Amino acid sequence: MQDKKSVAVIGSGAVGGYYGGRLAEAGHDVRFLLRRDYEAVSMSGFKITSPAGNFTLPHPSIFRSAEEIGTVDWVICSLKATSLNEGQKLLQPCVGPHTRILVLMNGLGLEDRFAAWFGGEKIFGGMAFTCINRGEPDTIHHLDYGRVTIGHYQDNPNELEEALSLWRGSKADVVTTSSLLKVRWEKLCWNIPFSGLCVAGGGITTDKVMADPDLSRAARVLMQEVIAAGNADLEAHHEKKRIDGPRIIDDMFNQTSTMASYRPSTMIDFVEGRAMEVEAIWGEPLKRAQALKADTPMLSLLTAILRSLNRGR
Amino acid sequence: MQDKKSVAVIGSGAVGGYYGGRLAEAGHDVRFLLRRDYEAVSMSGFKITSPAGNFTLPHPSIFRSAEEIGTVDWVICSLKATSLNEGQKLLQPCVGPHTRILVLMNGLGLEDRFAAWFGGEKIFGGMAFTCINRGEPDTIHHLDYGRVTIGHYQDNPNELEEALSLWRGSKADVVTTSSLLKVRWEKLCWNIPFSGLCVAGGGITTDKVMADPDLSRAARVLMQEVIAAGNADLEAHHEKKRIDGPRIIDDMFNQTSTMASYRPSTMIDFVEGRAMEVEAIWGEPLKRAQALKADTPMLSLLTAILRSLNRGR
């Protein structure tokens, strides 16, 4: 370990637990904020099953409040987007002048909020393309994939090098991107059609979407709508890069066809009656598409259905 | 009563029970085919609540098989479209050389099947624009509206006059149309968006669709897609009449806004776990739209979702 860092994980669900766990395993001083699961984890630690190697953290550093965690080098924020409004209050005690913040969450526009709260130079976005579920409170199942792509809010290459150095020596597969916005949209190219149809189709797994010719065709058209909206948004943000539509459609369908019966996190939220991250994943992209006059009829309908299903949760 | 007719009601659910009941009330010899509810109705008759006047048929003519009913002047077929394949066998014993058949069902293309089985000159289609629910097995609640529009499969005006004469003297509100296909599509202009969104939105009532700006907007776009597909289908069938889009959108939204919290029959099927009439109401219109190259992205997505929700029922 060349350079041990202090890291606060705010939002220690499956994603925060897994990636924070990998940093702890590599020797960093990782401090988990736990609320509901504090007791369970204090009893038995974190257990992580993973194709990259199972591991346990028998005695992770866990805290009930961000104040107890204090100022750190890095904050990994993996809150659920439905709790985004709590983000400023939860992170504030951990953020000092030199703290960097990795927003490891699903959805579009999240970093804008963190940048407004803490300053854009501090903010990174992370897109985990991975299948991770929570088992019992102290157990995390990393099922497949796992690559995290990290971008900087201001696309500053020196800052990207800082981000990479944190993960060097860990078993997490981390790469960087020179366009955070582009990769956010690329992640949505998967999430919008597949997570959305897994929910609207009745709480089904990804293999069911793939095997159903109607849903699979709808997924493809939805992805095309997302690509068009994303490219319009990149242009509006003066970003020169574009999503390569045919390539990403091929990649996403190929990857999904090897996933077997995966349950996307929003589908799990749906079938378990919890609030779904509808606004971050569907609402904000649709809002931008509409502002940019992109033609997204399927996205409009899917978002309307998901909002309706999310009502009262 | 000028001209008493014998009428077989095949499919004595809410719609068959109500309209057959109105003909019996008017003095016709109406014979109901009952299967599941035979015992209940033989004990206590039919009770019908209706804004047009409550009435009861204490001793309706009920039968357990079509053979017992025998040949009649009119067959009213109000089977659920999911039972369409049983139609030929169920109706056959009631159909003689002069029998006329009113297909009082939801969906597109149903009369084609009956015409193939019994000859197109015998076939009429009926579109009930009404809110009727089943209560207990012997009770039917007619809640609102109730107009039935009847067309002849070959659009023969003399046959339409025959159809009207059956209903004259009854309390049912019956009109005729010179274009069965056009009115079938007009009915779909309501059913496709409103029934579909009531299901896909999570089993909600029509007022929830109207009050939700996203769903209400989606309903309007869906309706526009149905109008375009319907007009293309009318043209392909050498029918000169067209659906008047702006008028029908206004009418449908105005009527729906006065319906309060109505539960469309497909939504009731959905929440009660029964098979939904997806192919007749969504699948066949989509198939025609696709064959005619009409642009119907929302209809495609909605149909894919409904088929997925209907799987295994």
Side-chain angles (χ1 to χ4, degrees):
Chain A
M1 172 108 264
Q2 298 163 343
D3 192 8
K4 181 171 166 168
K5 300 282 188 185
S6 55
V7 180
V9 177
I10 309 292
S12 308
V15 166
Y18 177 74
Y19 290 100
R22 286 295 184 196
L23 289 175
E25 180 192 39
H28 290 293
D29 166 18
V30 181
R31 309 170 193 176
F32 297 91
L33 176 68
L34 289 173
R35 291 178 288 182
R36 200 187 44 200
D37 300 326
Y38 185 91
E39 293 299 335
V41 176
S42 74
M43 300 278 283
S44 45
F46 274 124
K47 301 186 188 75
I48 292 145
T49 69
S50 168
N54 297 347
F55 67 105
T56 57
L57 298 175
H59 304 293
S61 300
I62 60 175
F63 299 85
R64 289 190 193 268
S65 76
E67 285 76 12
E68 294 170 68
I69 292 177
T71 303
V72 288
D73 297 318
W74 279 91
V75 174
I76 297 178
C77 179
S78 45
L79 289 168
K80 206 169 153 185
T82 49
S83 303
L84 182 60
N85 289 334
E86 295 180 63
Q88 182 174 20
K89 191 164 143 280
L90 283 172
L91 268 68
Q92 191 75 69
C94 305
V95 179
H98 304 295
T99 303
R100 293 179 170 87
I101 300 169
L102 174 62
V103 181
L104 190 59
M105 298 170 63
N106 278 321
L108 192 65
L110 305 166
E111 293 89 358
D112 299 335
R113 304 284 300 279
F114 288 90
W117 294 329
F118 303 113
E121 73 286 354
K122 288 180 150 40
I123 308 300
F124 299 73
M127 281 68 59
F129 196 86
T130 184
C131 303
I132 298 181
N133 288 342
R134 198 68 177 278
E136 309 74 68
D138 59 347
T139 307
I140 292 161
H141 300 290
H142 172 222
L143 303 172
D144 210 353
Y145 300 97
R147 171 164 287 187
V148 175
T149 303
I150 295 180
H152 181 248
Y153 186 65
Q154 299 169 338
D155 291 330
N156 178 333
N158 296 329
E159 286 296 318
L160 287 178
E161 192 42 49
E162 280 293 326
L164 264 188
S165 74
L166 172 69
W167 297 90
R168 207 164 278 147
S170 84
K171 287 193 183 151
D173 175 15
V174 171
V175 296
T176 59
T177 174
S178 57
S179 172
L180 174 60
L181 187 61
K182 174 167 173 273
V183 182
R184 277 277 173 220
W185 275 102
E186 288 177 342
K187 180 97 200 283
L188 293 168
C189 287
W190 192 88
N191 251 335
I192 285 178
F194 284 103
S195 297
L197 294 174
C198 283
V199 172
I204 58 178
T205 48
T206 51
D207 55 333
K208 297 283 191 294
V209 174
M210 292 293 284
D212 179 323
D214 299 315
L215 288 177
S216 170
R217 205 174 306 121
R220 193 170 293 264
V221 178
L222 274 162
M223 207 178 286
Q224 288 162 342
E225 291 184 5
V226 177
I227 292 163
N231 281 335
D233 193 42
L234 288 167
E235 185 174 355
H237 283 82
H238 309 292
E239 167 60 65
K240 289 206 176 55
K241 295 206 176 64
R242 293 289 176 274
I243 303 160
D244 179 350
R247 186 191 59 73
I248 203 147
I249 291 175
D250 275 358
D251 285 358
M252 294 291 177
F253 274 81
N254 288 338
Q255 287 175 12
T256 310
S257 68
T258 69
M259 270 185 197
S261 59
Y262 179 60
R263 305 166 80 217
S265 60
T266 312
M267 177 277 227
I268 297 177
D269 286 338
F270 173 61
V271 298
E272 298 192 350
R274 291 192 299 260
M276 300 182 281
E277 295 174 304
V278 174
E279 292 315 311
I281 302 178
W282 291 270
E284 177 67 20
L286 175 62
K287 192 175 119 191
R288 294 195 191 182
Q290 288 173 336
L292 295 163
K293 311 272 183 225
D295 188 35
T296 54
M298 279 202 185
L299 177 59
S300 301
L301 176 57
L302 183 61
T303 306
I305 289 169
L306 295 172
R307 282 177 174 154
S308 177
L309 295 174
N310 212 28
R311 194 144 292 146
R313 291 189 175 209
Chain B
M1 168 109 271
Q2 296 163 343
D3 192 7
K4 181 169 166 171
K5 300 281 189 186
S6 56
V7 180
V9 177
I10 308 293
S12 307
V15 166
Y18 177 73
Y19 289 101
R22 286 296 185 197
L23 288 175
E25 180 191 39
H28 290 293
D29 167 19
V30 181
R31 308 170 195 176
F32 297 91
L33 177 68
L34 289 174
R35 293 177 286 181
R36 201 186 45 204
D37 299 327
Y38 185 92
E39 292 299 333
V41 176
S42 74
M43 301 278 284
S44 44
F46 274 125
K47 303 188 188 74
I48 292 145
T49 68
S50 168
N54 297 349
F55 67 105
T56 57
L57 298 177
H59 304 294
S61 300
I62 60 175
F63 299 85
R64 288 189 194 269
S65 76
E67 285 75 12
E68 295 171 68
I69 292 177
T71 304
V72 290
D73 297 319
W74 279 91
V75 174
I76 298 177
C77 180
S78 44
L79 290 168
K80 211 169 148 182
T82 50
S83 304
L84 182 59
N85 289 333
E86 294 181 65
Q88 183 175 19
K89 193 166 143 276
L90 283 173
L91 267 68
Q92 191 74 71
C94 305
V95 178
H98 304 295
T99 303
R100 294 179 169 88
I101 300 169
L102 175 63
V103 181
L104 190 61
M105 298 169 66
N106 278 321
L108 193 65
L110 306 167
E111 292 89 359
D112 299 334
R113 303 284 301 278
F114 287 91
W117 294 330
F118 302 113
E121 72 286 355
K122 287 182 151 43
I123 310 300
F124 300 74
M127 281 70 58
F129 197 88
T130 183
C131 301
I132 297 182
N133 287 342
R134 199 67 178 279
E136 309 77 64
D138 60 347
T139 307
I140 293 160
H141 299 291
H142 172 224
L143 303 171
D144 209 353
Y145 300 99
R147 171 165 288 189
V148 176
T149 303
I150 295 180
H152 180 249
Y153 185 65
Q154 299 170 336
D155 291 332
N156 177 334
N158 296 329
E159 287 297 318
L160 287 177
E161 191 42 50
E162 279 294 324
L164 264 188
S165 75
L166 173 69
W167 296 91
R168 209 162 277 145
S170 82
K171 286 193 185 151
D173 176 15
V174 172
V175 297
T176 59
T177 173
S178 57
S179 171
L180 175 59
L181 188 61
K182 173 167 175 271
V183 181
R184 278 276 173 221
W185 275 103
E186 287 177 344
K187 181 97 199 281
L188 293 167
C189 286
W190 192 88
N191 252 334
I192 286 178
F194 284 103
S195 297
L197 295 173
C198 284
V199 171
I204 58 178
T205 48
T206 51
D207 55 334
K208 298 284 190 296
V209 174
M210 291 293 285
D212 179 321
D214 300 314
L215 288 179
S216 169
R217 205 176 304 120
R220 192 172 294 264
V221 178
L222 274 162
M223 207 177 288
Q224 288 162 344
E225 293 184 2
V226 177
I227 291 163
N231 281 335
D233 193 41
L234 289 168
E235 187 174 353
H237 281 82
H238 310 291
E239 166 61 66
K240 290 206 176 56
K241 294 205 176 65
R242 293 290 176 273
I243 303 160
D244 178 352
R247 186 192 57 75
I248 203 145
I249 292 174
D250 275 0
D251 284 359
M252 294 291 177
F253 274 81
N254 288 337
Q255 286 175 10
T256 311
S257 69
T258 68
M259 268 185 200
S261 59
Y262 178 60
R263 306 166 80 216
S265 60
T266 311
M267 176 277 222
I268 296 177
D269 285 338
F270 173 62
V271 299
E272 299 193 350
R274 289 191 300 260
M276 301 182 280
E277 297 173 303
V278 174
E279 292 315 312
I281 302 177
W282 292 269
E284 177 67 20
L286 174 62
K287 194 175 115 192
R288 295 196 190 183
Q290 288 172 337
L292 295 163
K293 312 274 182 223
D295 188 36
T296 53
M298 280 202 183
L299 176 59
S300 300
L301 177 57
L302 183 60
T303 305
I305 290 170
L306 295 173
R307 282 178 175 154
S308 178
L309 295 174
N310 212 27
R311 193 147 291 145
R313 291 188 176 213

